[in-house]
Amino acid sequence: PGIERALTLRTVEDVERIVAHVKEKPLTAVVIGGGFIGVEIAENLVHKGIKTSVVEASDQVLAPLDPEMAFLVATEMRSKGVDLHLGVSASEITSEAVLLSDGTLLDAELVILAIGVRPEIGLAQTAGLTVGSRKGIQVDEFNRTNDLDIYAIGDAAEKTDALDGSATLVPLANLANRHGRIVADHINGRIIRPVATIGTAIVKVFELTIATTGWNERRLSTSGRNFKVIHTHPS
């Protein structure tokens, strides 16, 4: 209930709406979702002097990280004034607040929803294109769909996981950029080197820089793969 009051961050127009609300100098904000977008939004709101809470339904921020890494991010966020609520979800948004599943009521003049993305496949389905196992548009190594005159790129297109060769969804800007270059080269008849997806992401959170690539420990354990864990503590 009340979800229509929440702003989302997807398009340039969405950014302009958020900026317009921030210019009204709200005192409080709630960001729902502790992924890359939610964490970055929270940092920017804090820099604007807005008391900001982040609500994340799982027990850690930045799901691709292993827990011991995510703990350091949460500690940094809290040290900079972010009110972090982990393991709870938003159950209702009112005109002035966000009610959480544990009964907590957070003041919220501004509410921003950042709980993830899913492929926009409506047009592809209407056009009769094949949708893959991950509900993204299925493409070959040149990013062609099953209709060879139509390409699909970016977050809506499925990728090939470098570790096991399975279909995967990795909504990252660097991959979308690579897709665009592959399509341009293919159209122009240039030689293309197909590259599987590792899923590298880098984000700045206040005084920390966090990076992740490949599978995390949890996913490796679930898959039954053998792996080693190495912790380094550089200066």
Side-chain angles (χ1 to χ4, degrees):
I3 195 72
E4 62 277 356
R5 187 164 85 84
L7 301 176
T8 56
L9 180 55
R10 178 181 177 186
T11 66
V12 173
E13 290 77 16
D14 290 340
V15 175
E16 292 171 346
R17 276 190 286 272
I18 292 173
V19 169
H21 279 76
V22 169
K23 284 182 178 179
E24 295 173 2
K25 300 188 182 301
L27 298 177
T28 56
V30 171
V31 178
I32 303 173
F36 291 104
I37 298 297
V39 166
E40 288 187 297
I41 289 172
E43 177 183 355
N44 282 280
L45 292 175
V46 168
H47 287 324
K48 288 292 186 180
I50 301 170
K51 179 177 171 52
T52 303
S53 301
V54 173
V55 179
E56 170 53 50
S58 67
D59 56 4
Q60 69 173 68
V61 294
L62 303 182
L65 297 183
D66 285 314
E68 63 268 32
M69 301 280 284
F71 173 80
L72 299 175
V73 180
T75 300
E76 174 72 6
M77 292 175 68
R78 286 178 169 133
S79 73
K80 295 300 191 293
V82 177
D83 182 23
L84 198 55
H85 296 263
L86 301 176
V88 292
S89 58
S91 59
E92 183 179 355
I93 300 173
T94 69
S95 60
E96 298 179 343
V98 174
L99 177 64
L100 304 186
S101 56
D102 64 357
T104 302
L105 194 64
L106 301 175
D107 292 335
E109 294 181 41
L110 174 65
V111 180
I112 299 179
L113 199 62
I115 56 174
V117 295
R118 62 168 61 108
E120 173 55 75
I121 57 174
L123 179 60
Q125 289 177 313
T126 301
L129 303 183
T130 300
V131 173
S133 59
R134 300 300 303 276
K135 301 301 181 184
I137 302 170
Q138 194 174 86
V139 295
D140 63 13
E141 66 268 32
F142 307 120
N143 280 87
R144 295 180 301 187
T145 65
N146 58 297
D147 182 329
L148 300 184
D149 292 324
I150 301 176
Y151 296 82
I153 66 173
D155 295 354
E158 291 187 346
K159 289 84 176 172
T160 299
D161 191 286
L163 190 59
D164 68 355
S166 66
T168 185
L169 294 174
V170 186
L172 293 172
N174 60 340
L175 290 174
N177 184 287
R178 182 197 293 167
H179 277 183
R181 291 170 180 269
I182 287 173
V183 169
D185 285 346
H186 190 254
I187 289 172
N188 282 281
R190 300 181 65 179
I191 295 173
I192 295 170
R193 180 175 65 92
V195 180
T197 297
I198 304 173
T200 302
I202 305 169
V203 62
K204 185 186 82 71
V205 183
F206 295 102
E207 303 302 319
L208 291 180
T209 300
I210 301 97
T212 175
T213 191
W215 291 17
N216 60 21
E217 187 176 350
R218 180 177 59 255
R219 187 173 177 187
L220 289 165
S221 297
T222 302
S223 71
R225 288 177 175 266
N226 293 323
F227 62 91
K228 290 183 179 180
V229 177
I230 301 172
H231 291 175
T232 66
H233 299 270
S235 60

